[in-house]
Amino acid sequence: MLAFFIFLIGYTLSQFYRSFLAVIAPELSAELHLSATDLGNISACWFATFALAQFFVGAALDNQGPRRTLPALMLAGVAGAIVFARASDARSAMVAMGLIGIGCSAALMGPLFVFARTSPPHRFALLSALIIGLGTLGNLLGGTPLAMAAQAFGWRSVFYGLAAITLAAAALIGLLVKDPPRLSHAAHAGTGGIVSGLREILAIRALWPVWPLMAFGYGILITERGLWVGPYLSEVHGLEPIARGNVIFLMAAAIGLGALAYGPLESWLRRRKVLALGGSFIAVAALAALALPANSTIAITTILLCVFGFSAMTYGTIMAHVRLFLPDALLGRGMSFANFLCMGGAGLLQVWSGVYVDHLKTRGLTAAELFSTVHLALAGILLVATLIYAWSRERTQ
């Protein structure tokens, strides 16, 4: 139980770092002279380094365990928070976010590795949903609290404080977390390397229809929550920072509640595929509703954002689906590969969406027309990934 709460601190920080940009994006853009493409690239740097680090994370978890792996990586996050606090342009902010992405790259895989190795499969989804759901406190902190702190102390001072908190979390993990028992030599036979392990993972044909939703389901959620919801609320609805933060806070709360709800439902129903499909289709509908002409009130928009956030938080359920097809010796690398697809897809969506928004601006669209087009495009991508996932098969355990 102590390890769970220590892991939770690290994952809460990871959730904050991937989503804070939406709240301070208008102010950050004005101070650092950023375009929409710059914002997309800055956010994408977190996801790109996070995703690429997954190959190292998986091998390190399988061979070294989480107690050593997590603190070593989190030091990069400490450095990144300091660099972000001192950022003067888009390039320095990109470097900072890249370092923070490396620092967060094992924040979820570490606890999931421990859960998968020490708990029966039917409890894995529940435990993973608990840490994901409770960890969305980072999303909440990246809403109204961040807006208030940035207004009171400035966003640069906030990030110096975050560097200190990240360092303390790394120390706690290194000192107090214990690794699960190591597998026997025989269990590791044939699965020791990154490349050989990746070949074995990709050879699992049952997971092929799962990978597109793994790659873009969460990516679309974090693209909306972590990048565009702030500018959308500012430019379309005219909200000031605190009011903007309040709406984002409610959306983040819905995301957390969604993560917490999926776990018990999966543990009760043992139907991962049905839950993930249902949630994804509801998320598509909510995005499509946001794409309707902007004649709705802020109350309706807030409700749609919350419905989208709640229903789209299928990550833990899909990861539980993946876990059932992975042998124990491939758990670290298999789950990290799934996370690579998840965060890599998110990074691609950040870059694409930034370029796409700048392209739409050249066409002279109003802010309402622009974000309507973006929401419709995101809904279309999610719909395609969900339809492919519908062809997957599920192993019951």
Side-chain angles (χ1 to χ4, degrees), residues 56-377:
F56 167 80
V57 168
L61 289 173
D62 281 333
N63 295 300
Q64 301 297 325
R67 188 179 66 84
R68 297 178 185 177
T69 302
L70 270 68
L73 291 168
M74 289 174 74
L75 292 178
V78 174
I82 294 172
V83 173
F84 195 90
R86 300 174 61 85
S88 58
D89 53 23
R91 181 174 299 180
S92 54
M94 289 169 65
V95 171
M97 289 295 276
L99 287 169
I100 294 171
I102 294 171
C104 296
S105 59
L108 181 59
M109 288 301 99
L112 291 190
F113 177 82
V114 173
F115 300 158
R117 285 283 309 280
T118 60
S119 302
H122 69 273
R123 286 183 56 81
F124 175 80
L126 178 60
L127 289 170
S128 61
L130 280 174
I131 196 163
I132 292 169
L134 295 174
T136 54
L137 174 62
N139 262 321
L140 296 175
L141 293 173
T144 307
L146 172 61
M148 295 176 67
Q151 193 170 74
F153 307 109
W155 60 268
R156 295 183 187 275
S157 296
V158 170
F159 271 83
Y160 280 122
L162 286 165
I165 295 170
T166 305
L167 181 61
L172 286 174
I173 292 172
L175 292 172
L176 300 177
V177 167
K178 294 182 179 179
D179 292 327
R182 296 182 66 86
L183 295 174
S184 66
H185 177 73
H188 274 291
T191 58
I194 295 175
V195 175
S196 62
L198 181 60
R199 282 200 299 264
E200 293 184 56
I201 294 161
L202 293 176
I204 304 174
R205 297 174 66 91
L207 291 176
W208 290 2
V210 182
W211 296 138
L213 191 56
M214 191 85 238
F216 294 112
Y218 180 74
I220 287 171
L221 172 61
I222 199 63
T223 296
E224 178 71 18
R225 163 62 186 91
L227 188 58
W228 297 118
V229 67
Y232 167 64
L233 294 171
S234 175
E235 297 174 27
V236 176
H237 292 282
L239 299 189
E240 295 299 322
I242 299 300
R244 203 164 61 225
N246 290 339
V247 175
I248 294 173
F249 183 92
L250 291 173
M251 182 184 181
I255 292 172
L257 290 174
L260 289 171
Y262 276 112
L265 282 172
E266 189 279 332
S267 186
W268 175 50
L269 296 174
R270 307 287 178 90
R271 299 298 304 275
R272 301 159 189 85
K273 179 180 173 179
V274 171
L275 285 174
L277 277 176
S280 297
F281 279 127
I282 293 171
V284 169
L287 279 174
L290 284 169
L292 295 175
N295 54 5
S296 61
T297 65
I298 188 61
I300 294 175
T301 295
T302 301
I303 291 170
L304 288 173
L305 288 170
C306 289
V307 170
F308 169 66
F310 182 96
S311 59
M313 195 56 197
T314 57
Y315 173 92
T317 301
I318 300 172
M319 186 65 83
H321 189 160
V322 171
R323 186 264 176 270
L324 290 177
F325 291 90
L326 296 174
D328 284 347
L330 281 175
L331 276 177
R333 279 157 292 176
M335 291 191 301
S336 292
F337 175 71
N339 214 33
F340 162 76
L341 290 179
C342 178
M343 297 305 174
L348 288 175
L349 287 169
Q350 309 280 308
V351 173
W352 165 79
S353 63
V355 174
Y356 189 49
V357 167
D358 274 339
H359 168 70
L360 292 176
K361 287 181 177 179
T362 65
R363 293 170 52 186
L365 300 180
T366 65
E369 292 169 337
L370 186 154
F371 282 103
S372 176
T373 304
V374 170
H375 285 137
L376 191 60

